[in-house]
Amino acid sequence: MKTGNRKVLKVITLVLSVFILFNIFWYAWRDMKYGSYINEMEENELSSWIVPRYMHVDAEGYDYSVKYPDYLSFTGNMSVGLPSLDNNPFTDFLVIWPKVLGGYEYGASLTVDGVNYQIMINEDGSAVDFQYSEIAAISKETIDLLLQKANEKWDLK
């Protein structure tokens, strides 16, 4: 084998090894990070081995879900939604994105006066963006309830 071919083979082997190691690291990190969130939950019909998804509806009708990160991504999410009314599955809900190094980011989908708003919120339920402060204030009771339910389920503090 020529020296040039050996160098190419070494580079390909190195790149492939790094890629395999990164996949192993990602898979282990993903399972450790998100595995603690799926207690008492069942696998969702959309779940796959590469992107697991879990769900649970509690006795009061609150809908909980966990979506692991997509392949080689570090962003998955959890959500908790209000019980559905009149067979309408579209209710207000809270989305929680666990950060890679700890902590969470929060968002909410809220319907106010027939208009749906999707806003980022702080841990205390206030709007991140000032322009949505009034929506967050109007929906404070709902946001606080969803944050309480999420904290009871996943101990987010």
Side-chain angles (χ1 to χ4, degrees):
M1 193 181 266
K2 292 184 183 178
T3 327
N5 289 342
R6 283 188 186 148
K7 287 182 180 179
V8 169
L9 186 58
K10 283 182 180 181
V11 169
I12 289 172
T13 302
L14 177 64
V15 169
L16 188 58
S17 296
V18 168
F19 180 71
I20 290 170
L21 286 173
F22 185 77
N23 272 270
I24 291 169
F25 166 78
W26 172 80
Y27 190 83
W29 171 86
R30 180 197 75 163
D31 280 357
M32 287 188 313
K33 182 79 171 176
Y34 285 82
S36 63
Y37 299 130
I38 62 169
N39 294 335
E40 301 176 7
M41 298 183 88
E42 58 194 50
E43 212 165 342
N44 182 320
E45 62 193 34
L46 299 175
S47 185
S48 68
W49 70 273
I50 197 75
V51 183
R53 299 167 191 254
Y54 292 86
M55 60 176 277
H56 174 73
V57 178
D58 71 11
E60 298 174 78
Y62 288 89
D63 182 20
Y64 300 86
S65 68
V66 174
K67 179 195 168 285
Y68 280 48
D70 289 330
Y71 180 61
L72 297 185
S73 169
F74 291 93
T75 305
N77 66 64
M78 297 127 46
S79 69
V80 56
L82 293 175
S84 60
L85 301 171
D86 304 323
N87 294 324
N88 180 2
F90 301 104
T91 62
D92 291 351
F93 61 90
L94 176 71
V95 180
I96 305 142
W97 294 277
K99 293 181 182 179
V100 173
L101 299 176
Y104 304 92
E105 290 184 343
Y106 300 86
S109 178
L110 306 162
T111 301
V112 176
D113 296 329
V115 178
N116 183 263
Y117 297 90
Q118 296 186 5
I119 65 172
M120 297 298 294
I121 59 173
N122 295 306
E123 187 176 338
D124 65 1
S126 62
V128 169
D129 188 336
F130 180 74
Q131 79 181 46
Y132 296 110
S133 294
E134 185 177 343
I135 299 302
I138 291 169
S139 303
K140 181 168 178 31
E141 187 176 314
T142 297
I143 292 171
D144 288 348
L145 176 61
L146 292 171
L147 285 168
Q148 175 190 344
K149 291 291 187 180
N151 193 49
E152 288 171 4
K153 179 74 174 163
W154 295 299
D155 193 23
L156 302 176
K157 302 271 175 174

